[in-house]
Amino acid sequence: MSLLNQLFNRGIFGAKCKTSLNLAIARMKLLQNKRDMQLKHMKKEIAQFLQAGQEPIARIRVEHVIREMNLWAAYEILELFCEFVLARVPILESEKECPRELREAVASIIFAAPRCSEVPDLVQIKNLFGTKYGKEFIMVASELRPDSGVNRTIIEKLSLTSPSGEARLKMLKDIAQEYSLNWDSSATEAEFMKSHEDLLGGAKQIHRQDGISESQPSQHGYTQSSVSREVESLPAEATQRFQKLQAQNPAIKNVSSSKLTSASQVPPDTRRDQTDVMERARDALASADRATAAARAAAQLVNVSYGVTAPTVAATEGKP
């Protein structure tokens, strides 16, 4: 009884496998013919964009063209694998394990089945192989485990990674040559040579450099932002302080305020060296402090020598 079941199941596997393989081959041929027309139309549109100077649109469209061409090439290889397996279905029926010479074709069909949604017959073939060889055999091919046997070209053509800049540039040049366009590719080459890290990390890198420049102190122990704020506030404060010192000590009225005015008259648009402006303002304050100390010392000397009080000196200032 078991022998009859085995013979019956073997006949069912062979019939279903042949039917699904024939349907998959016919469907992939139709899809290839359809894609040929689509690719010609898409290339013509890209040529029109290049001729009109709309290179950014052409750079985006060419990526879709490359994907369609990769899928077309994958269908061509899968079609050959299906024809190869179809001619050897009796061998698959007679042997319990997958023959070594058929392993690459069977594994490639299993790997491509979920990635080629336009060919549902490949999924049926995959299920037939899973019933015959077990789930582990299907998992090895689907997950690309070591010794899976999947064709490398099938893996590359069905990959989801975006095409490289060199591939896109080459395709654009081929399209321009096919339609006899006098196209200058220098701008597109410069755009494709930019790495994704520079494009993504450019703003971050600029902000990072700004943060470093603000956090590092200057030669005088001030950050760049604090220096700019201090330069804006120092001239006014220095002038007020000098006026207070003049009101308290009339003896320093003749002290020249050229250093203060030179620091306060610097236009904000021409502050190329902020640290020099701050130093000039500090020197003016220091000279004012020294003048105050000298006036106080002179007043004390007058009090000691002549016994005259400070108000009397202030009242008799200017008299012989």
Side-chain angles (χ1 to χ4, degrees):
M1 187 66 179
S2 60
L3 183 60
L4 292 176
N5 291 334
Q6 186 177 0
L7 292 174
F8 183 72
N9 292 331
R10 181 184 301 175
I12 292 177
F13 171 79
K16 288 185 177 181
C17 190
K18 288 181 180 180
T19 302
S20 300
L21 287 170
N22 285 321
L23 290 174
I25 293 170
R27 197 183 300 273
M28 283 188 287
K29 287 181 178 179
L30 290 175
L31 290 173
Q32 282 181 305
N33 295 332
K34 180 180 178 181
R35 269 185 168 73
D36 282 336
M37 300 300 296
Q38 291 178 350
L39 287 172
K40 289 180 181 179
H41 181 68
M42 293 168 66
K43 288 180 179 180
K44 186 177 180 180
E45 287 184 345
I46 292 176
Q48 292 175 355
F49 287 134
L50 292 177
Q51 190 174 8
Q54 299 179 351
E55 294 186 12
I57 301 177
R59 289 195 290 265
I60 296 173
R61 294 289 185 88
V62 74
E63 184 173 350
H64 186 55
V65 171
I66 294 175
R67 290 185 184 276
E68 292 295 322
M69 292 182 66
N70 289 339
L71 191 58
W72 187 94
Y75 283 161
E76 187 176 10
I77 298 174
L78 289 172
E79 182 182 347
L80 296 175
F81 280 151
C82 289
E83 291 176 352
F84 182 71
V85 173
L86 179 62
R88 289 161 178 79
V89 170
I91 300 176
L92 294 176
E93 288 182 317
S94 60
E95 296 187 10
K96 187 176 181 180
E97 299 293 335
C98 181
R100 185 176 296 274
E101 65 272 11
L102 294 174
R103 187 175 181 85
E104 182 181 5
V106 172
S108 299
I109 292 173
I110 293 172
F111 173 79
R115 293 167 175 81
C116 299
S117 57
E118 295 178 329
V119 189
D121 307 293
L122 295 177
V123 178
Q124 297 180 3
I125 299 171
K126 173 188 174 183
N127 295 334
L128 291 173
F129 289 146
T131 304
K132 184 172 181 61
Y133 301 122
K135 294 181 179 179
E136 185 65 22
F137 183 83
I138 301 298
M139 294 296 293
V140 170
S142 299
E143 298 177 1
L144 294 178
R145 296 180 185 177
D147 299 330
S148 61
V150 181
N151 183 267
R152 185 172 183 83
T153 307
I154 290 291
I155 297 174
E156 293 177 356
K157 297 301 182 182
L158 297 179
S159 176
L160 297 178
T161 57
S162 60
S164 62
E166 292 81 3
R168 286 181 286 175
L169 181 62
K170 183 178 181 301
M171 180 59 62
L172 287 174
K173 289 182 177 179
D174 292 343
I175 294 174
Q177 185 178 3
E178 182 180 354
Y179 287 88
S180 303
L181 298 179
N182 188 12
W183 173 57
D184 184 14
S185 62
S186 58
T188 302
E189 289 180 4
E191 184 68 22
F192 284 155
M193 289 303 107
K194 292 181 180 179
S195 61
H196 294 285
E197 290 76 6
D198 294 340
L199 294 174
L200 293 177
K204 295 180 181 179
Q205 188 175 2
I206 292 172
H207 289 308
R208 192 182 303 114
Q209 290 177 357
D210 292 343
I212 292 174
S213 63
E214 290 180 1
S215 62
Q216 289 180 349
S218 63
Q219 296 179 356
H220 302 283
Y222 289 85
T223 60
Q224 187 174 358
S225 58
S226 63
V227 167
S228 60
R229 289 194 299 268
E230 191 169 352
V231 167
E232 292 177 358
S233 59
L234 262 178
E237 293 180 358
T239 305
Q240 294 177 2
R241 186 171 180 181
F242 187 76
Q243 291 175 357
K244 290 181 180 179
L245 290 174
Q246 283 183 335
Q248 292 176 1
N249 300 286
I252 63 171
K253 287 183 179 180
N254 296 326
V255 177
S256 175
S257 61
S258 59
K259 294 183 179 180
L260 287 176
T261 55
S262 62
S264 61
Q265 291 176 356
V266 176
D269 296 334
T270 60
R271 295 172 184 165
R272 297 182 179 178
D273 196 350
Q274 298 177 350
T275 55
D276 294 340
V277 176
M278 188 176 66
E279 284 299 323
R280 287 198 295 269
R282 285 179 177 172
D283 293 339
L285 288 177
S287 62
D289 290 337
R290 287 194 296 270
T292 304
R296 289 177 180 175
Q300 291 178 1
L301 183 61
V302 170
N303 292 336
V304 172
S305 300
Y306 301 100
V308 183
T309 59
T312 306
V313 173
T316 61
E317 183 181 3
K319 295 182 181 180

